[in-house]
Amino acid sequence: MSFTHINQNGEANMVDVSEKTVTARIARAEAFIEMTPSTLEMIVKGEHHKGDVFAVARIAGIQAAKQTSQLIPLCHPLMLSKVEVRFDVQPQHNRVRIETLCKLAGQTGVEMEALTAASVAALTLFDMCKAVDKAMCITGVRVLEKQGGKSGHFVANAKGHQA
């Protein structure tokens, strides 16, 4: 198996997708941010002095997905048709699970956009809460599912491998 972003001379190069078929493509990703129970409670109750941290993190994640090609070298700029960022508060684990969804009709996949959205949403939560909880930890950033294109449908299992 060869790397698609390396040419025959070993040089970095942007993959030519002009001959690929336009297909419906989706990707889902997740990330977690662990924090103290008191920080999680403050966020859930809406008592953070900066306001609704979930609303800000959701917008940050959506914006990040739209800017992925500006952040990741050799990543194609894409015309996203849908970006979704959802939060699942998991008090039993003192964390928030972030799940993202990116969709488009195009010639290349949207995994990087979904991963970037999840990462930046987690980073935004960290940034907004770091004054009250410096020990937060972002973990488990991964692709959950990918559909469309030549490689078909991928669904990760609990360990991150294809189910």
Side-chain angles (χ1 to χ4, degrees):
M1 174 159 233
S2 62
F3 290 109
T4 58
H5 288 78
I6 305 294
N7 68 16
Q8 63 273 17
N9 299 325
E11 302 162 335
N13 105 109
M14 188 171 184
V15 175
D16 181 359
V17 298
S18 60
E19 299 300 318
K20 285 184 160 186
T21 305
V22 172
T23 61
R25 296 168 185 263
I26 72 149
R28 291 185 314 109
E30 73 178 350
F32 297 88
I33 182 165
E34 301 168 0
M35 58 193 69
T36 64
S38 61
T39 301
L40 187 59
E41 183 179 355
M42 177 185 60
I43 293 170
V44 170
K45 289 184 174 180
E47 297 172 350
H48 195 291
H49 72 279
K50 292 187 177 181
D52 185 348
V53 297
F54 288 136
V56 175
R58 180 174 290 109
I59 291 168
I62 292 168
Q63 278 301 109
K66 292 165 50 177
Q67 295 298 317
T68 300
S69 69
Q70 299 292 314
L71 301 169
I72 309 294
L74 309 177
C75 200
H76 292 85
L78 301 178
M79 185 62 73
L80 296 168
S81 58
K82 173 77 174 165
V83 179
E84 185 176 281
V85 178
R86 293 184 300 145
F87 302 98
D88 176 25
V89 176
Q90 298 179 339
Q92 70 277 23
H93 299 293
N94 299 317
R95 70 185 184 187
V96 175
R97 179 179 178 265
I98 301 156
E99 184 175 332
T100 62
L101 169 72
C102 291
K103 295 173 82 172
L104 61 67
Q107 296 167 295
T108 190
V110 289
E111 298 92 341
M112 294 309 301
E113 288 71 14
L115 288 165
T116 300
S119 299
V120 171
L123 288 167
T124 301
L125 289 176
F126 189 102
D127 182 52
M128 294 188 75
C129 298
K130 68 182 183 275
V132 295
D133 190 349
K134 293 176 182 22
M136 289 177 290
C137 184
I138 296 170
T139 64
V141 179
R142 68 180 182 142
V143 172
L144 294 172
E145 181 180 12
K146 170 230 173 289
Q147 289 183 40
K150 192 167 60 173
S151 62
H153 193 184
F154 165 84
V155 178
N157 65 21
K159 295 181 181 176
H161 304 288
Q162 187 159 350

